[in-house]
Amino acid sequence: MGEKLQFTELDQYLFGQGTHYDVYRKLGAHPVKQGKKEGVYFAVWAPNAQAVSVIGEFNDWNEQAAPMKKAGPIGVFETFVPGAKIGQLYKFFIVGMNGEHIYKADPYANEAELRPGTASRITDIGDYKWKDTTWMKNRQKFDETKDAMAIYEVHPGSWMKHPATEENEKGFFNYRELAVKLAQYVKDMGYTHVELMGIAEHPFDGSWGYQVTGYYAPTSRYGTPQDFKYLVDYLHRQKIGVILDWVPAHFPKDAHGLANFDGTAVYEHADPRQGEHPDWGTKIYNYGRPEVKNFLIANALFWIEECHVDGLRVDAVASMLYLDYGKNDGQWVANKYGGNQNLEAIEFFKHLNTVVLGRNHGTVMIAEESTAWPKVTGKAEDDGLGFSLKWNMGWMNDFLEYMKYDPYFRSHHYKELTFSMLYAYSEDFILVFSHDEVVHGKGSMAGKMPGMSLEDKFANLRTAYGFMMGHPGKKLLFMGQDFGQLDEWNENVQLEWELLDYPIHGRMKEYVKELNHLYRSYPALYKKDYQPDGFEWVNCMDSANNIVSFIRKTDKKEETLLFICNFAPVLHEKYIMGVPFEGKYKEIFNSDAVKFGGSGKGNPRMKTSREEDSDGRKHAITVQVPPMSICIFSCTPEKAVKPVQKKAAARNTGKRSAKNTDKSHN
């Protein structure tokens, strides 16, 4: 052992308080120099262990070669191993409270052995030279409530693949290859961010990364931690934000993982009614234990501060908030007030979000929360959970149910189309068509749409995507759905890129591309997503025709946009609709355009409003509403020219001319 403890009394105090926010720089494996000797410093928290040693390729996995010393009463063990090198595999050998022999991967490891191997790997995460200074500086000014967010959700292992080889049996792209290909696609398509699934190390491919064993290690399936940093760095240099899925709700029972880490319940609750998900077969974190909270909060900060990630989408928040989530009577324990709210998880979220967002302006914390829990995006000081944004699962479920009906029957389900606006401002929402909707027999987005032909299905899908873009809230679309993938997502094969050889899919891709670029070009589509005065119904009562119309606004009248959405395959040649003010209305986007695969119906000429009561408004226009379509109009208000006085043409009249009251029409 080295001369003095590296996990100091201050480290122990902060860790014991749950506030050692960069504890990952101390725990784990870190190449260092002690005196003249180069080697690796190892530290692990195993509070109830009798003894701990580090075993690995540097000592032939000898359980006696590198015993670790306990650093104070908190239960951290540490040692310095001279000669240990970057790239070598290791584990911790733990003698448990009852003398059992346990072999564990390092919870704080920054790299892991490629599955099915389960060892940790020594690495140096501090040697990457970042080149995204401009992005990181500009990020501090980003405001998710007022800026555009069109997120492309990606599973890296199945987005695009190489042919399988003996060395790469799944054909995975390396992080660096993925960076270039993904950035090119995302930039061209007009997305602002990518959200990456399954980056933290996990043993089972089929879990998609939602059962994590290596919280501080980018999965070795796609390369090294340095390769992962390159991916983030490269995307940033292409002006693309990076969000990661993050899973603090539960962890698997794999023998090398966190479960019963030192022979006792260290990270989880000891009582299975509190510490296990019966449906998922996983362990639940003990959010009341300071060192466990510290492990998770420091992990969130690791991804954001060490890896420059721009936000985390927190998975399965509802399962953390409710003690009885997925459980029957007798399978859970009530809180001290007799309720089913997990008070420790609530406090954890407030702590987590306050620290992460307080230290990293311009980043986002996103909740995947499927219930009506209040104030998920409310401020912690106002008894909210403190998240930046929340997935709008209610809108997704209602709207997709509406879209699944044959248009003939949609009029009977009209409220499923309009209901979301009754609660649209209760949280700061993201509208999502996520991976959850295209797996487990749910089919693809195109497959959900009604219609006898593919053309009918794609017309429905174009209308759905257009309505989503007009509805308040940030946007998320899962990979493959932007070109109308036909099969539901399968993580074992790449997307059906070959479909782009068929015009109907190429046109759908171009449609989503133009929709994304339109979204980013018009502030009315994102600037007031979370302010009620940014949206206004024109008509949400025309259930007989399956038509809705609405306005998106900013504080500038000339930035107003008018939407009319027709969810029936019926052409309306002269549809009268109210408009927000007197002015001129120009169709700037039409999902029924021939280039998108539509019939080409629409409004090529600018419309001038007339005084006529319609939809409760004083002015109206008559438009052609294409079948199964969304049309968007820019709105230019009439501008009165200030009256000017004319001087008399003849001096001998001595009178002023009348004021010019003509109006200038723009």
Side-chain angles (χ1 to χ4, degrees):
M1 179 68 205
E3 295 81 8
K4 63 179 182 178
L5 296 176
Q6 292 208 15
F7 203 84
T8 65
E9 287 187 13
L10 178 59
D11 291 325
Q12 293 172 52
Y13 172 77
L14 292 173
F15 191 45
Q17 294 293 308
T19 56
H20 198 326
Y21 298 129
D22 59 351
V23 70
Y24 58 86
R25 301 187 191 280
K26 286 293 186 78
L27 294 177
H30 304 280
V32 294
K33 195 173 184 179
Q34 285 202 359
K36 295 183 179 180
K37 294 180 179 178
E38 291 189 353
V40 176
Y41 168 74
F42 295 93
V44 64
W45 179 53
N48 296 309
Q50 287 188 35
V52 184
S53 64
V54 59
I55 58 176
E57 293 181 320
F58 42 79
N59 60 17
D60 293 327
W61 305 92
N62 183 338
E63 296 165 3
Q64 312 303 321
M68 303 178 77
K69 183 178 178 182
K70 199 170 187 179
I74 202 167
V76 170
F77 290 78
E78 63 177 5
T79 192
F80 172 70
V81 179
K85 292 182 174 62
I86 290 173
Q88 291 180 321
L89 298 175
Y90 70 99
K91 277 189 177 182
F92 292 116
F93 169 64
I94 299 170
V95 179
M97 181 186 289
N98 299 313
E100 61 271 51
H101 288 188
I102 305 164
Y103 301 87
K104 290 289 185 181
D106 181 0
Y108 287 85
N110 295 129
E111 189 173 357
E113 184 181 12
L114 180 63
R115 51 96 183 94
T118 58
S120 302
R121 191 182 297 277
I122 300 167
T123 190
D124 181 3
I125 59 166
D127 65 351
Y128 183 82
K129 303 292 186 253
W130 290 95
K131 298 176 183 175
D132 63 347
T133 309
T134 302
W135 174 272
M136 295 298 283
K137 184 178 179 181
N138 290 337
R139 185 173 82 177
Q140 297 178 32
K141 296 177 282 188
F142 178 77
D143 182 347
E144 74 281 357
T145 66
K146 296 176 183 175
D147 292 329
M149 284 187 81
I151 304 167
Y152 184 56
E153 188 187 21
V154 177
H155 178 257
S158 60
W159 181 70
M160 194 175 282
K161 286 176 175 280
H162 294 297
T165 63
E166 193 173 331
E167 296 77 28
N168 186 358
E169 85 284 4
K170 289 288 185 81
F172 292 141
F173 272 37
N174 178 276
Y175 289 117
R176 292 175 187 261
E177 295 177 283
L178 184 67
V180 177
K181 291 272 192 182
L182 189 57
Q184 182 181 10
Y185 184 81
V186 168
K187 201 172 179 181
D188 177 60
M189 289 295 290
Y191 296 104
T192 62
H193 294 70
V194 295
E195 180 179 316
L196 300 174
M197 296 166 57
I199 293 301
E201 193 59 79
H202 51 284
F204 177 48
D205 289 11
S207 77
W208 312 331
Y210 293 115
Q211 295 197 10
V212 178
T213 50
Y215 276 78
Y216 287 83
T219 176
S220 54
R221 289 167 176 80
Y222 318 128
T224 66
Q226 291 77 9
D227 294 336
F228 173 71
K229 286 185 174 183
Y230 179 88
L231 168 66
V232 178
D233 197 9
Y234 188 87
L235 288 170
H236 282 174
R237 283 183 278 140
Q238 301 302 313
K239 299 182 180 178
I240 300 164
V242 182
I243 298 165
L244 296 189
D245 276 7
W246 189 60
V247 193
H250 63 131
F251 57 92
K253 298 178 180 179
D254 295 67
H256 69 286
L258 300 177
N260 297 305
F261 189 76
D262 61 6
T264 66
V266 175
Y267 290 90
E268 69 272 40
H269 282 278
D271 187 337
R273 295 176 299 167
Q274 296 171 291
E276 292 195 21
H277 276 300
D279 287 347
W280 298 345
T282 53
K283 297 283 190 179
I284 300 172
Y285 282 103
N286 181 350
Y287 304 107
R289 193 166 194 176
E291 299 89 346
V292 174
K293 280 194 297 187
N294 202 145
F295 170 77
L296 291 169
I297 293 172
N299 182 243
L301 291 167
F302 164 80
W303 291 111
I304 286 174
E305 295 178 355
E306 179 65 37
C307 297
H308 289 202
V309 164
D310 304 296
L312 300 175
R313 175 272 204 179
V314 184
D315 183 63
V317 168
S319 74
M320 299 170 64
L321 292 172
Y322 296 97
L323 294 165
D324 58 348
Y325 185 91
K327 297 180 178 182
N328 300 318
D329 290 345
Q331 291 183 321
W332 62 284
V333 179
N335 64 32
K336 62 184 179 181
Y337 303 114
N340 67 342
Q341 300 87 4
N342 189 331
L343 304 178
E344 294 168 344
I346 294 168
E347 190 56 41
F348 165 75
F349 282 132
K350 292 180 179 181
H351 188 169
L352 166 77
N353 292 323
T354 301
V355 170
V356 170
L357 299 174
R359 284 170 52 137
N360 300 279
H361 297 297
T363 59
V364 292
M365 295 293 288
I366 303 167
E368 189 244 342
E369 202 283 315
S370 54
T371 73
W373 187 281
K375 295 185 178 181
V376 171
T377 57
K379 294 186 183 301
E381 55 266 33
D382 296 331
D383 206 28
L385 297 182
F387 282 98
S388 316
L389 301 164
K390 173 182 168 174
W391 274 22
N392 196 337
M393 316 287 274
W395 172 83
M396 178 183 69
N397 292 329
D398 286 347
F399 182 54
L400 285 182
E401 279 303 307
Y402 175 80
M403 290 304 300
K404 287 176 188 175
Y405 288 110
D406 184 287
Y408 183 81
F409 299 107
R410 279 181 181 158
S411 61
H412 304 295
H413 302 274
Y414 192 73
K415 70 177 188 300
E416 292 175 24
L417 179 63
T418 60
F419 178 68
S420 58
M421 285 311 301
L422 294 178
Y423 62 85
Y425 304 106
S426 61
E427 302 281 3
D428 291 353
F429 283 119
I430 299 180
L431 306 180
V432 294
F433 291 140
S434 72
H435 71 274
D436 283 329
E437 295 312 300
V438 293
V439 291
H440 302 319
K442 295 179 183 176
S444 65
M445 286 295 294
K448 296 178 196 296
M449 299 297 117
M452 297 298 290
S453 68
L454 208 52
E455 285 75 14
D456 290 342
K457 289 178 177 293
F458 274 48
N460 275 274
L461 193 56
R462 289 195 303 271
T463 308
Y465 288 162
F467 179 74
M468 177 195 193
M469 204 58 84
H471 192 293
K474 307 310 173 186
K475 324 297 176 188
L476 178 143
L477 189 61
F478 182 59
M479 64 181 198
Q481 308 315 309
D482 51 3
F483 60 79
Q485 174 146 321
L486 297 178
D487 290 338
E488 74 175 20
W489 173 52
N490 177 354
E491 81 273 4
N492 295 312
V493 297
Q494 72 170 3
L495 296 183
E496 298 173 317
W497 295 108
E498 65 278 7
L499 292 177
L500 289 172
D501 293 335
Y502 298 90
I504 192 169
H505 294 279
R507 289 192 290 260
M508 176 58 76
K509 176 175 173 285
E510 285 304 304
Y511 174 72
V512 174
K513 174 181 172 178
E514 287 202 26
L515 203 53
N516 282 340
H517 284 286
L518 177 98
Y519 166 69
R520 297 177 66 172
S521 301
Y522 287 87
L525 294 177
Y526 56 80
K527 225 170 185 58
K528 288 197 159 191
D529 273 330
Y530 308 122
Q531 298 175 45
D533 64 346
F535 175 93
E536 197 176 314
W537 285 117
V538 173
N539 190 332
C540 58
M541 305 291 286
D542 193 1
S543 59
N545 288 313
N546 290 311
I547 289 177
V548 291
S549 50
F550 56 87
I551 301 161
R552 292 300 306 272
K553 300 182 289 183
T554 69
D555 290 331
K556 297 177 181 178
K557 206 172 183 181
E558 65 272 17
E559 291 181 345
T560 303
L561 294 179
L562 175 65
F563 279 71
I564 182 163
C565 310
N566 180 7
F567 291 95
V570 178
L571 171 66
H572 298 266
E573 293 195 331
K574 293 184 177 181
Y575 189 89
I576 300 172
M577 62 185 299
V579 293
F581 42 71
E582 181 184 5
K584 295 186 182 299
Y585 293 82
K586 180 183 178 183
E587 186 180 271
I588 58 170
F589 193 83
N590 182 342
S591 69
D592 193 51
V594 173
K595 64 180 177 179
F596 300 139
S599 67
K601 304 296 183 183
N603 302 274
R605 294 178 181 171
M606 189 177 289
K607 304 285 182 179
T608 301
S609 68
R610 61 185 181 276
E611 284 194 31
E612 178 180 342
D613 289 341
S614 181
D615 298 319
R617 298 170 184 274
K618 295 179 180 179
H619 297 88
I621 57 175
T622 300
V623 297
Q624 186 177 68
V625 181
M628 194 60 66
S629 66
I630 171 172
C631 296
I632 309 173
F633 295 82
S634 63
C635 312
T636 305
E638 289 290 352
K639 296 177 182 176
V641 175
K642 210 171 184 181
V644 295
Q645 292 183 332
K646 291 183 177 179
K647 292 185 178 179
R651 295 189 180 195
N652 60 349
T653 62
K655 294 181 179 180
R656 293 181 180 272
S657 64
K659 290 182 180 179
N660 179 6
T661 56
D662 289 346
K663 290 183 177 177
S664 171
H665 291 267
N666 296 334

